[in-house]
Amino acid sequence: MSIEQLRDHYQRRGYCIHPHRLPLHLLEAANKAIDQWIDEYPLQEKHAVFEIHPQYQSHEEELFRSAEGIYGFLESEALDERSQLRVKKRDAFNKIGHALHDLIPEVGALAEHEVIRQCVRSEEHTSELQSQ
């Protein structure tokens, strides 16, 4: 796929997959850093569930706060009624958001890679850059 095709796919579907486009060392470093974050995440202190449901409205604040930090949001079925994990810790997360690229350098390096930047750049922004 060309960069234009990847960008079009991303804009239509919100994601793009293209094997071998990103350097393996960046992917491995980002995965290792996220694994370490998961291992260190204080699940007993923080266990907001990412689900749109009245029962979980009290966790909306966590979602909004995640814009400036890194917070883990669990699958609704990950914890039992005593807030104990039913699954492996790394399988419990539905979402880790939002500032990974700002606060985990390895994720930031991946997010700043030229292939990623070209895929998410809008056509409008691209034409603005080309006309300058």
Side-chain angles (χ1 to χ4, degrees), residues 36-107:
Q36 181 179 348
W37 183 90
I38 289 171
D39 288 344
E40 295 171 359
Y41 190 76
L43 211 57
Q44 302 331 94
E45 298 168 28
K46 301 178 183 180
H47 52 263
V49 173
F50 185 75
E51 185 172 80
I52 307 303
H53 190 279
Q55 174 184 354
Y56 301 112
Q57 284 181 349
S58 63
H59 297 303
E60 275 184 359
E61 184 179 323
E62 291 287 329
L63 182 60
F64 292 122
R65 257 192 289 147
S66 73
E68 297 173 357
I70 304 173
Y71 293 86
F73 297 90
L74 303 180
E75 292 285 350
S76 59
E77 301 295 321
L79 301 175
D80 65 17
E81 57 282 343
R82 297 179 319 243
S83 294
Q84 300 298 311
L85 279 176
R86 292 182 173 160
V87 297
K88 292 179 185 175
K89 187 176 183 181
R90 72 171 296 104
D91 296 334
F93 290 90
N94 172 294
K95 175 181 182 53
I96 301 173
H98 281 92
L100 279 79
H101 59 286
D102 289 329
L103 301 175
I104 298 178
E106 297 85 350
V107 177

Coordinates of all heavy atoms in Angstrom, one line a residue, residues 36-107:
Q36 N 5.8 -3.0 30.7 CA 6.3 -2.6 32.0 C 5.3 -1.7 32.7 O 5.0 -1.8 33.9 CB 7.6 -1.8 31.8 CG 8.2 -1.3 33.1 CD 9.5 -0.6 32.9 OE1 10.1 -0.6 31.9 NE2 9.9 0.1 34.0
W37 N 4.6 -0.8 32.0 CA 3.6 0.1 32.5 C 2.4 -0.8 33.1 O 2.0 -0.6 34.2 CB 3.0 1.0 31.5 CG 2.0 2.0 32.0 CD1 2.2 3.2 32.6 CD2 0.6 1.7 32.1 NE1 1.1 3.7 33.0 CE2 0.0 2.9 32.7 CE3 -0.2 0.7 31.7 CZ2 -1.3 3.0 33.0 CZ3 -1.6 0.8 32.0 CH2 -2.1 1.9 32.6
I38 N 2.0 -1.8 32.4 CA 1.0 -2.7 32.9 C 1.4 -3.4 34.1 O 0.7 -3.5 35.1 CB 0.5 -3.7 31.8 CG1 -0.2 -3.0 30.7 CG2 -0.3 -4.9 32.4 CD1 -0.5 -3.8 29.5
D39 N 2.6 -3.9 34.1 CA 3.2 -4.6 35.3 C 3.2 -3.8 36.6 O 2.9 -4.2 37.7 CB 4.6 -5.1 35.1 CG 4.7 -6.3 34.1 OD1 3.6 -6.9 33.9 OD2 5.8 -6.6 33.6
E40 N 3.5 -2.5 36.4 CA 3.6 -1.5 37.5 C 2.2 -0.8 37.8 O 2.2 -0.1 38.8 CB 4.6 -0.5 37.2 CG 6.0 -1.1 37.1 CD 7.1 -0.1 36.5 OE1 6.7 1.1 36.2 OE2 8.2 -0.5 36.4
Y41 N 1.2 -1.0 37.0 CA 0.0 -0.3 37.2 C -0.7 -0.8 38.5 O -0.9 -2.0 38.8 CB -1.0 -0.6 36.1 CG -2.2 0.3 36.1 CD1 -2.1 1.6 35.8 CD2 -3.5 -0.2 36.5 CE1 -3.3 2.5 35.8 CE2 -4.6 0.6 36.6 CZ -4.5 2.0 36.2 OH -5.6 2.8 36.2
P42 N -1.0 0.2 39.4 CA -1.6 -0.2 40.8 C -3.1 -0.5 40.7 O -3.9 0.3 41.0 CB -1.4 1.1 41.5 CG -1.4 2.2 40.5 CD -0.8 1.6 39.3
L43 N -3.3 -1.7 40.3 CA -4.7 -2.2 40.0 C -5.6 -2.1 41.3 O -6.8 -1.8 41.2 CB -4.7 -3.6 39.5 CG -5.8 -4.0 38.6 CD1 -5.8 -3.1 37.4 CD2 -5.6 -5.5 38.1
Q44 N -5.0 -2.3 42.5 CA -5.8 -2.2 43.7 C -6.3 -0.8 44.0 O -7.3 -0.6 44.6 CB -5.0 -2.7 44.9 CG -4.4 -4.1 44.8 CD -5.2 -5.1 44.0 OE1 -4.9 -5.3 42.8 NE2 -6.2 -5.8 44.5
E45 N -5.5 0.2 43.5 CA -5.9 1.6 43.7 C -6.7 2.1 42.6 O -7.6 3.0 42.9 CB -4.6 2.4 43.8 CG -3.7 2.1 45.0 CD -2.3 2.7 44.8 OE1 -2.2 3.8 44.2 OE2 -1.3 2.2 45.3
K46 N -6.5 1.7 41.4 CA -7.2 2.3 40.3 C -7.7 1.2 39.4 O -7.0 0.4 38.9 CB -6.2 3.1 39.4 CG -5.5 4.2 40.1 CD -4.6 4.9 39.1 CE -3.8 6.0 39.7 NZ -2.9 6.6 38.7
H47 N -9.1 1.1 39.3 CA -9.6 0.1 38.4 C -10.9 0.6 37.8 O -12.0 0.0 38.0 CB -9.8 -1.3 39.1 CG -10.5 -1.3 40.4 ND1 -9.8 -1.3 41.5 CD2 -11.8 -1.3 40.7 CE1 -10.7 -1.4 42.5 NE2 -11.9 -1.4 42.0
A48 N -10.8 1.6 37.1 CA -12.0 2.2 36.3 C -12.3 1.2 35.2 O -11.4 0.7 34.6 CB -11.7 3.6 35.8
V49 N -13.6 1.1 34.9 CA -14.0 0.2 33.8 C -14.4 1.1 32.7 O -15.1 2.1 32.8 CB -15.2 -0.6 34.3 CG1 -15.8 -1.4 33.1 CG2 -14.8 -1.6 35.4
F50 N -14.0 0.7 31.5 CA -14.3 1.5 30.3 C -15.6 0.9 29.7 O -15.5 -0.1 29.0 CB -13.2 1.5 29.3 CG -13.4 2.4 28.1 CD1 -13.3 3.7 28.2 CD2 -13.7 1.8 26.9 CE1 -13.5 4.6 27.1 CE2 -14.0 2.6 25.8 CZ -13.9 4.0 25.9
E51 N -16.7 1.5 30.0 CA -18.0 1.0 29.5 C -19.0 2.1 29.6 O -19.0 2.8 30.6 CB -18.4 -0.2 30.2 CG -19.6 -0.9 29.6 CD -20.0 -2.2 30.3 OE1 -20.5 -2.2 31.4 OE2 -19.6 -3.2 29.7
I52 N -19.8 2.3 28.6 CA -20.9 3.3 28.6 C -22.1 2.6 29.3 O -22.8 1.9 28.6 CB -21.2 3.8 27.2 CG1 -19.9 4.3 26.5 CG2 -22.3 4.9 27.3 CD1 -19.2 5.4 27.2
H53 N -22.2 2.9 30.5 CA -23.3 2.2 31.3 C -23.5 3.0 32.6 O -22.5 3.5 33.2 CB -22.8 0.8 31.6 CG -23.9 -0.1 32.2 ND1 -24.3 0.0 33.5 CD2 -24.7 -1.0 31.6 CE1 -25.3 -0.9 33.8 NE2 -25.5 -1.5 32.6
P54 N -24.7 3.3 33.0 CA -25.0 4.1 34.2 C -24.2 3.6 35.4 O -23.8 4.4 36.2 CB -26.5 3.9 34.4 CG -27.0 3.6 33.1 CD -26.0 2.8 32.4
Q55 N -24.0 2.3 35.5 CA -23.3 1.8 36.7 C -21.8 2.3 36.8 O -21.3 2.5 37.9 CB -23.2 0.2 36.6 CG -22.4 -0.4 37.7 CD -22.3 -1.9 37.4 OE1 -22.9 -2.5 36.5 NE2 -21.5 -2.6 38.2
Y56 N -21.2 2.7 35.7 CA -19.9 3.1 35.6 C -19.7 4.6 35.4 O -18.6 5.1 35.2 CB -19.1 2.4 34.5 CG -19.1 0.9 34.7 CD1 -19.8 0.1 33.9 CD2 -18.5 0.3 35.8 CE1 -19.8 -1.3 34.1 CE2 -18.5 -1.0 36.1 CZ -19.2 -1.8 35.2 OH -19.2 -3.2 35.4
Q57 N -20.8 5.4 35.6 CA -20.7 6.9 35.4 C -19.7 7.5 36.4 O -19.1 8.5 36.0 CB -22.1 7.5 35.5 CG -22.9 7.3 34.3 CD -24.3 7.9 34.4 OE1 -24.7 8.4 35.4 NE2 -25.0 7.9 33.3
S58 N -19.5 6.9 37.5 CA -18.6 7.5 38.5 C -17.1 7.5 37.9 O -16.3 8.2 38.4 CB -18.6 6.8 39.8 OG -18.2 5.4 39.6
H59 N -16.9 6.7 36.9 CA -15.5 6.6 36.4 C -15.3 7.6 35.2 O -14.2 7.6 34.6 CB -15.2 5.2 35.9 CG -15.2 4.2 37.0 ND1 -14.4 4.3 38.1 CD2 -15.9 3.1 37.2 CE1 -14.6 3.3 39.0 NE2 -15.6 2.6 38.4
E60 N -16.3 8.4 34.9 CA -16.1 9.4 33.8 C -15.0 10.3 34.1 O -14.3 10.7 33.2 CB -17.4 10.2 33.6 CG -18.4 9.5 32.7 CD -19.6 10.4 32.4 OE1 -19.7 11.6 33.0 OE2 -20.5 10.0 31.7
E61 N -14.8 10.7 35.4 CA -13.7 11.6 35.7 C -12.4 11.0 35.3 O -11.5 11.7 34.9 CB -13.8 11.9 37.2 CG -12.8 12.9 37.7 CD -12.9 13.2 39.2 OE1 -14.0 13.2 39.7 OE2 -11.8 13.4 39.8
E62 N -12.2 9.7 35.6 CA -11.0 9.0 35.2 C -10.8 9.2 33.7 O -9.6 9.4 33.2 CB -11.0 7.5 35.5 CG -11.0 7.3 37.0 CD -9.6 7.5 37.6 OE1 -8.6 7.3 36.9 OE2 -9.5 7.9 38.8
L63 N -11.8 9.0 32.9 CA -11.7 9.1 31.4 C -11.2 10.5 31.0 O -10.3 10.7 30.2 CB -13.0 8.8 30.8 CG -13.0 8.8 29.2 CD1 -12.0 7.8 28.7 CD2 -14.4 8.5 28.7
F64 N -11.8 11.5 31.6 CA -11.4 12.9 31.3 C -10.0 13.2 31.8 O -9.3 13.9 31.1 CB -12.4 13.9 31.9 CG -13.8 13.9 31.2 CD1 -14.9 13.6 32.0 CD2 -13.9 14.0 29.9 CE1 -16.2 13.5 31.4 CE2 -15.2 13.9 29.2 CZ -16.3 13.7 30.0
R65 N -9.7 12.7 32.9 CA -8.3 12.9 33.5 C -7.3 12.2 32.6 O -6.1 12.6 32.6 CB -8.2 12.5 34.9 CG -8.2 13.6 35.9 CD -7.8 13.2 37.3 NE -8.9 12.5 37.8 CZ -8.7 11.5 38.7 NH1 -7.5 11.1 39.1 NH2 -9.7 10.8 39.2
S66 N -7.7 11.2 31.9 CA -6.7 10.4 31.1 C -6.1 11.2 30.0 O -5.1 10.8 29.4 CB -7.3 9.1 30.6 OG -8.2 9.3 29.6
A67 N -6.7 12.3 29.6 CA -6.2 13.1 28.5 C -4.9 13.7 28.9 O -4.1 14.0 28.0 CB -7.2 14.3 28.2
E68 N -4.6 13.8 30.2 CA -3.3 14.4 30.6 C -2.4 13.5 31.3 O -1.4 13.8 31.8 CB -3.6 15.6 31.5 CG -4.3 16.7 30.8 CD -4.8 17.9 31.7 OE1 -4.5 17.8 32.9 OE2 -5.3 18.8 31.2
G69 N -2.8 12.2 31.4 CA -2.0 11.2 32.0 C -2.2 9.9 31.4 O -2.7 9.8 30.2
I70 N -1.7 8.8 32.0 CA -1.9 7.5 31.5 C -2.8 6.7 32.5 O -2.4 6.6 33.7 CB -0.6 6.8 31.3 CG1 0.3 7.6 30.4 CG2 -0.9 5.4 30.7 CD1 1.7 7.0 30.2
Y71 N -3.9 6.3 32.1 CA -4.8 5.6 33.0 C -5.3 4.3 32.3 O -5.4 4.2 31.1 CB -6.1 6.4 33.3 CG -5.7 7.6 34.2 CD1 -5.3 8.8 33.6 CD2 -5.8 7.5 35.6 CE1 -5.0 9.9 34.4 CE2 -5.5 8.6 36.3 CZ -5.1 9.8 35.7 OH -4.7 10.9 36.5
G72 N -5.4 3.3 33.1 CA -5.9 2.0 32.6 C -7.4 1.8 32.8 O -7.9 2.1 33.9
F73 N -8.1 1.4 31.8 CA -9.5 1.1 31.9 C -9.7 -0.3 31.6 O -9.2 -0.9 30.6 CB -10.3 2.0 30.9 CG -10.2 3.5 31.2 CD1 -9.1 4.2 30.6 CD2 -11.0 4.1 32.0 CE1 -9.0 5.5 30.9 CE2 -10.9 5.4 32.3 CZ -9.9 6.2 31.7
L74 N -10.4 -1.0 32.5 CA -10.6 -2.4 32.4 C -11.8 -2.9 31.7 O -12.8 -2.1 31.5 CB -10.6 -3.0 33.9 CG -9.5 -2.7 34.8 CD1 -9.7 -3.3 36.1 CD2 -8.2 -3.1 34.2
E75 N -11.8 -4.1 31.2 CA -12.9 -4.7 30.7 C -14.0 -4.9 31.8 O -13.6 -5.1 32.9 CB -12.6 -6.1 30.1 CG -11.7 -6.1 28.9 CD -12.5 -5.7 27.6 OE1 -13.7 -5.6 27.7 OE2 -11.8 -5.5 26.6
S76 N -15.2 -4.8 31.5 CA -16.2 -4.9 32.5 C -16.3 -6.2 33.2 O -16.6 -6.3 34.4 CB -17.6 -4.5 31.9 OG -17.9 -5.5 30.9
E77 N -15.8 -7.3 32.6 CA -15.8 -8.6 33.1 C -14.5 -9.0 33.8 O -14.3 -10.1 34.2 CB -16.2 -9.6 32.1 CG -17.5 -9.4 31.4 CD -18.7 -9.6 32.4 OE1 -18.6 -10.5 33.3 OE2 -19.6 -8.8 32.4
A78 N -13.5 -8.0 33.8 CA -12.2 -8.4 34.3 C -12.1 -8.6 35.8 O -11.3 -9.3 36.3 CB -11.2 -7.3 33.9
L79 N -13.0 -8.0 36.5 CA -13.0 -8.1 38.0 C -14.3 -8.8 38.5 O -15.3 -8.7 37.9 CB -13.0 -6.7 38.6 CG -11.8 -5.8 38.3 CD1 -12.0 -4.4 38.9 CD2 -10.5 -6.4 38.7
D80 N -14.1 -9.5 39.6 CA -15.2 -10.2 40.2 C -15.9 -9.2 41.2 O -15.5 -8.1 41.3 CB -14.8 -11.5 40.9 CG -13.9 -11.4 42.0 OD1 -13.7 -10.2 42.6 OD2 -13.3 -12.4 42.4
E81 N -16.9 -9.7 41.9 CA -17.6 -8.8 42.8 C -16.8 -8.3 44.0 O -17.2 -7.3 44.6 CB -18.9 -9.5 43.3 CG -18.7 -10.8 44.0 CD -18.4 -12.0 43.1 OE1 -18.7 -11.9 41.9 OE2 -17.9 -13.0 43.5
R82 N -15.6 -8.9 44.2 CA -14.7 -8.4 45.3 C -13.6 -7.6 44.7 O -12.6 -7.4 45.4 CB -14.2 -9.6 46.1 CG -15.3 -10.4 46.8 CD -14.6 -11.6 47.5 NE -13.6 -12.2 46.7 CZ -13.7 -13.4 46.3 NH1 -14.7 -14.2 46.6 NH2 -12.7 -14.0 45.5
S83 N -13.7 -7.2 43.4 CA -12.7 -6.4 42.7 C -11.4 -7.2 42.6 O -10.3 -6.6 42.5 CB -12.4 -5.1 43.4 OG -13.6 -4.3 43.3
Q84 N -11.5 -8.5 42.5 CA -10.3 -9.4 42.2 C -10.3 -9.7 40.7 O -11.4 -9.9 40.1 CB -10.3 -10.6 43.0 CG -10.3 -10.4 44.5 CD -9.1 -9.7 45.0 OE1 -8.0 -10.1 44.7 NE2 -9.3 -8.6 45.7
L85 N -9.1 -9.8 40.1 CA -9.0 -10.1 38.7 C -9.5 -11.5 38.4 O -9.2 -12.5 39.1 CB -7.5 -10.1 38.3 CG -7.0 -8.7 37.9 CD1 -5.5 -8.8 37.6 CD2 -7.7 -8.1 36.8
R86 N -10.3 -11.6 37.3 CA -10.7 -12.9 36.8 C -9.8 -13.4 35.7 O -9.9 -14.6 35.3 CB -12.1 -12.8 36.2 CG -13.2 -12.5 37.2 CD -14.5 -12.4 36.5 NE -15.6 -12.3 37.5 CZ -16.8 -11.9 37.2 NH1 -17.1 -11.5 36.0 NH2 -17.7 -11.8 38.2
V87 N -9.0 -12.5 35.2 CA -8.1 -12.8 34.0 C -6.7 -12.4 34.4 O -6.5 -11.7 35.4 CB -8.6 -12.1 32.7 CG1 -10.0 -12.6 32.3 CG2 -8.6 -10.6 32.9
K88 N -5.7 -12.7 33.5 CA -4.4 -12.2 33.7 C -4.4 -10.7 33.6 O -5.2 -10.1 32.8 CB -3.5 -12.7 32.6 CG -3.2 -14.2 32.6 CD -2.3 -14.6 31.5 CE -2.2 -16.1 31.5 NZ -1.4 -16.6 30.3
K89 N -3.6 -10.0 34.3 CA -3.6 -8.6 34.4 C -3.5 -7.9 33.0 O -4.2 -7.0 32.7 CB -2.4 -8.1 35.3 CG -2.4 -6.6 35.6 CD -1.3 -6.3 36.5 CE -1.3 -4.8 36.9 NZ -0.2 -4.4 37.8
R90 N -2.6 -8.4 32.2 CA -2.4 -7.8 30.9 C -3.6 -8.0 30.0 O -3.8 -7.2 29.0 CB -1.1 -8.3 30.2 CG -1.1 -9.7 29.7 CD 0.1 -10.0 28.8 NE 0.1 -9.2 27.6 CZ 0.9 -8.2 27.4 NH1 1.7 -7.8 28.3 NH2 0.8 -7.5 26.2
D91 N -4.5 -9.0 30.3 CA -5.7 -9.2 29.5 C -6.9 -8.5 30.1 O -8.0 -8.5 29.5 CB -6.0 -10.7 29.5 CG -5.0 -11.5 28.7 OD1 -4.3 -11.0 27.9 OD2 -4.8 -12.7 29.0
A92 N -6.7 -7.8 31.2 CA -7.8 -7.1 31.9 C -8.1 -5.8 31.3 O -9.2 -5.2 31.4 CB -7.5 -7.0 33.3
F93 N -7.2 -5.2 30.5 CA -7.3 -3.8 30.0 C -8.1 -3.7 28.7 O -7.9 -4.5 27.8 CB -6.0 -3.2 29.8 CG -5.2 -2.9 31.1 CD1 -4.4 -3.8 31.7 CD2 -5.5 -1.7 31.8 CE1 -3.8 -3.6 32.9 CE2 -4.8 -1.4 33.0 CZ -4.0 -2.4 33.6
N94 N -9.1 -2.8 28.7 CA -9.8 -2.5 27.5 C -9.1 -1.4 26.8 O -9.1 -1.3 25.6 CB -11.3 -2.1 27.9 CG -12.1 -1.6 26.8 OD1 -11.8 -0.5 26.2 ND2 -13.1 -2.3 26.4
K95 N -8.6 -0.5 27.6 CA -8.0 0.8 27.0 C -7.0 1.3 28.0 O -7.1 1.2 29.2 CB -9.1 1.8 26.9 CG -8.7 3.2 26.4 CD -10.0 4.1 26.3 CE -9.6 5.4 25.8 NZ -8.9 5.5 24.6
I96 N -5.9 1.8 27.4 CA -4.9 2.5 28.1 C -4.8 3.9 27.5 O -4.5 4.0 26.3 CB -3.5 1.8 28.1 CG1 -3.6 0.4 28.7 CG2 -2.5 2.7 28.9 CD1 -2.3 -0.4 28.6
G97 N -5.1 4.9 28.2 CA -5.2 6.2 27.5 C -4.7 7.4 28.4 O -4.6 7.2 29.6
H98 N -4.5 8.4 27.9 CA -4.4 8.8 26.5 C -3.0 9.3 26.2 O -2.6 9.4 25.0 CB -5.4 10.0 26.2 CG -6.8 9.6 26.0 ND1 -7.7 9.5 27.1 CD2 -7.4 9.2 24.9 CE1 -8.9 9.1 26.6 NE2 -8.7 8.9 25.3
A99 N -2.3 9.8 27.1 CA -1.0 10.5 26.9 C 0.2 9.6 26.8 O 1.3 10.0 27.1 CB -0.8 11.6 27.9
L100 N 0.0 8.3 26.3 CA 1.2 7.4 26.2 C 2.3 8.0 25.4 O 3.4 7.9 25.7 CB 0.7 6.1 25.6 CG 0.1 5.1 26.5 CD1 -1.4 5.4 26.7 CD2 0.2 3.7 25.9
H101 N 1.9 8.6 24.3 CA 2.9 9.2 23.4 C 3.7 10.4 24.0 O 4.8 10.7 23.6 CB 2.3 9.6 22.0 CG 1.2 10.6 22.2 ND1 0.0 10.3 22.7 CD2 1.2 12.0 21.9 CE1 -0.8 11.4 22.7 NE2 -0.1 12.4 22.3
D102 N 3.1 11.0 25.0 CA 3.7 12.2 25.6 C 4.5 11.7 26.8 O 5.6 12.3 27.2 CB 2.7 13.2 26.1 CG 2.0 14.0 25.0 OD1 2.7 14.2 24.0 OD2 0.9 14.3 25.2
L103 N 4.1 10.6 27.5 CA 4.7 10.3 28.8 C 5.5 9.0 28.8 O 6.2 8.7 29.7 CB 3.6 10.2 29.8 CG 2.8 11.5 30.1 CD1 1.7 11.2 31.0 CD2 3.7 12.6 30.5
I104 N 5.4 8.2 27.7 CA 6.3 7.0 27.6 C 7.1 7.3 26.3 O 6.6 7.2 25.2 CB 5.5 5.7 27.4 CG1 4.6 5.5 28.7 CG2 6.4 4.5 27.2 CD1 3.7 4.3 28.6
P105 N 8.4 7.6 26.5 CA 9.3 8.0 25.4 C 9.3 7.0 24.2 O 9.3 7.4 23.0 CB 10.7 8.1 26.0 CG 10.4 8.3 27.4 CD 9.1 7.6 27.8
E106 N 9.2 5.7 24.5 CA 9.3 4.7 23.4 C 8.0 4.7 22.6 O 8.0 4.5 21.4 CB 9.4 3.3 24.0 CG 10.7 3.1 24.8 CD 10.7 3.5 26.3 OE1 9.7 4.2 26.7 OE2 11.6 3.2 27.0
V107 N 6.8 5.0 23.2 CA 5.6 5.2 22.4 C 5.6 6.5 21.6 O 5.2 6.5 20.5 CB 4.4 5.1 23.4 CG1 3.1 5.3 22.6 CG2 4.3 3.8 24.1

